[in-house]
Amino acid sequence: MAMLLIKNGLIHNAVDRNPFIADILVDNKKIVKIEPDMFRDGAEVYDAAGSEIYPGFVEAHAHTGLSGYGIGYEGHDYNELGDIISPQLRAIDAIEPRDETLLEARNAGVTTLCVGPGSANVLGGTFAAIKPVGCRVEQMCLKKEAAMKCAFGENPKRNYKEKGNSSRMTTAARLREVLFRAREYEAKLACAGDHIADRPPFDIKLQAMLPVLRKEIPLKAHAHQANDFFTALRIAREFDINITLEHVTEGHLVAEELAKENVMLAVGPTLGHANKFELRNKTWDTPGVLAARGCHVSIITDAPFIPQKYLALCAGLAVKAGMDGFEALKAITIHPAEHIGVAHRVGSLEAGKDADIVVTDGNPFDIQTNILSVFIDGTQVFSCRE
């Protein structure tokens, strides 16, 4: 692969508040250097004069590739509806690389996505961090297991109300039970050591929870209603495990309390109708209010609930509601990269990071702005001229 030199663009690197004009040198899939007036013999030159340059956008929470477009049941692969405790499930076993919504996401500048199970179950399985390129999931993955999905609130109640899970108390108790059993299972494995005969019988569910207990991956906690935030956090503290809060619909109502918790928040999907009680306080104010209190905020589409291609538009709507523009940019770049544990590779334009780059003819928060080019790992995967 030849070196790539992107010249003279206005760079918004998601690190510095003020943009600046410079060149980006790319080699071997990585950003090598960002400086003005560079020349490199043999490099392919992309003239970005008059254009704006952004990091590839990052989605912290979606089901893209697990929910077939225009298919229905046959393409619905993000919720297991037969077992409320399903931590052994993995998104990588269901992602469809050829799903057209992945192509739409890529063409809209979304270059990294964290995709996984829905919220029907108390424990739903692991999310994967992927890039929307490749013909098989192994080629797409940044992290095969980025987080373990759990859910609070209405969804587990609604899906299992006839099967013995009709209250928030039951949801919390089921999660605690699994964590207690997994902790005991891990202790028995440790005591057995290399003596196979002394090991407890293999349990695929408890085995799947060990990375959570070891803080290798966080719980990714679906929670819209404020009381559910604090139940999730309380359980995480009880078991000394890492957790992120997902959706956070009522976050603006308890922003001061969330700011004390120092936990990463993924806010959305905010566009659309409040189709259940726990969404009644949904507002575009939420991400801005939380960011203003110093919270770590990512903006999410929860695609397909908002089409993935509108991630930048969601950030624009948050800005319209009062969110600081730089905070909104971070909320779809470096913050979600940190949220899903891949910020060492993506989320900002810095030397050493993957060359995931979006070139536009204006502010991507503006609906009239066009994506001119998208690069993933230094390869141009979209051009408006094609």
Side-chain angles (χ1 to χ4, degrees):
M1 179 187 295
M3 285 187 291
L4 171 68
L5 185 59
I6 301 175
K7 298 273 304 172
N8 300 319
L10 182 64
I11 296 174
H12 303 255
N13 61 10
V15 178
D16 301 302
R17 176 173 286 272
N18 296 319
F20 55 92
I21 292 176
D23 305 339
I24 302 175
L25 180 64
V26 174
D27 190 21
N28 195 27
K29 302 182 179 182
K30 299 288 185 180
I31 297 172
V32 176
K33 191 182 296 186
I34 302 176
E35 290 181 0
D37 302 320
M38 276 194 287
F39 172 80
R40 185 59 60 98
D41 190 36
E44 177 186 346
V45 175
Y46 180 101
D47 185 6
S51 303
E52 301 193 24
I53 300 177
Y54 294 85
F57 306 139
V58 182
E59 167 74 70
H61 182 125
H63 313 288
T64 314
L66 292 95
S67 178
Y69 186 77
I71 300 176
Y73 171 78
E74 292 81 1
H76 182 105
D77 286 316
Y78 63 89
N79 267 324
E80 168 55 52
L81 298 177
D83 188 351
I84 197 169
I85 303 295
S86 300
Q88 75 278 14
L89 305 183
R90 304 187 303 171
I92 60 170
D93 296 325
I95 294 168
E96 168 53 274
R98 295 174 296 176
D99 189 293
E100 66 186 85
T101 56
L102 284 168
L103 178 62
E104 284 188 347
R106 185 179 79 192
N107 293 352
V110 182
T111 59
T112 299
L113 308 88
C114 197
V115 298
S119 51
N121 301 323
V122 173
L123 283 162
T126 52
F127 271 60
I130 65 171
K131 295 190 181 187
V133 287
C135 65
R136 54 188 291 178
V137 72
E138 290 84 359
Q139 298 166 346
M140 306 169 72
C141 278
L142 284 168
K143 292 182 75 172
K144 291 183 179 179
E145 295 186 337
M148 173 64 70
K149 181 67 178 290
C150 68
F152 295 85
E154 292 183 33
N155 287 9
K157 286 180 58 176
R158 181 172 61 252
N159 284 285
Y160 289 89
K161 64 181 179 181
E162 308 299 334
K163 302 175 185 177
N165 200 89
S166 59
S167 78
R168 281 177 162 81
M169 292 184 293
T170 308
T171 294
R174 286 183 181 273
L175 178 57
R176 280 194 179 93
E177 179 186 14
V178 175
L179 288 166
F180 271 119
R181 291 177 57 222
R183 191 162 64 183
E184 184 179 66
Y185 180 78
E186 181 180 40
K188 289 179 178 179
L189 286 173
C191 287
D194 295 330
H195 301 284
I196 296 176
D198 295 334
R199 292 180 184 175
F202 177 73
D203 188 314
I204 193 170
K205 295 183 178 184
L206 301 183
Q207 189 73 30
M209 293 300 292
L210 297 185
V212 175
L213 291 176
R214 295 168 181 167
K215 295 187 176 181
E216 295 167 6
I217 60 173
L219 280 181
K220 195 174 183 69
H222 166 109
H224 287 284
Q225 200 164 283
N227 59 329
D228 292 325
F229 307 161
F230 300 114
T231 297
L233 292 169
R234 186 164 54 251
I235 293 173
R237 304 298 184 250
E238 287 173 20
F239 289 89
D240 188 27
I241 56 180
N242 294 331
I243 193 168
T244 64
L245 295 183
E246 314 288 309
H247 307 305
V248 201
T249 301
E250 292 190 347
H252 58 286
L253 302 180
V254 289
E256 296 291 350
E257 292 301 315
L258 288 175
K260 298 174 186 176
E261 295 290 342
N262 192 31
V263 64
M264 295 184 185
L265 311 173
V267 180
T270 310
L271 186 67
H273 184 65
N275 61 355
K276 54 185 178 179
F277 181 77
E278 65 187 9
L279 301 182
R280 68 198 184 282
N281 290 310
K282 182 164 65 170
T283 171
W284 284 109
D285 295 343
T286 308
V289 169
L290 291 168
R293 299 300 190 282
C295 296
H296 187 286
V297 175
S298 299
I299 292 171
I300 62 172
T301 64
D302 199 20
F305 296 97
I306 300 173
Q308 187 73 71
K309 60 186 177 182
Y310 297 135
L311 178 60
L313 173 62
C314 290
L317 290 168
V319 171
K320 183 179 180 181
M323 190 176 193
D324 174 78
F326 184 56
E327 291 299 322
L329 175 61
K330 290 194 292 184
I332 60 168
T333 54
I334 190 61
H335 279 183
E338 292 167 344
H339 191 106
I340 62 178
V342 294
H344 61 294
R345 289 189 57 181
V346 302
S348 60
L349 298 177
E350 298 180 85
K353 288 199 173 183
D354 295 0
D356 295 352
I357 299 166
V358 178
V359 184
T360 73
D361 64 3
N363 189 327
F365 300 165
D366 187 334
I367 195 170
Q368 295 184 342
T369 291
N370 296 300
I371 304 291
L372 301 179
S373 292
V374 178
F375 297 86
I376 294 180
D377 295 327
T379 296
Q380 190 173 33
V381 296
F382 171 75
S383 171
C384 69
R385 300 181 181 94
E386 296 177 355

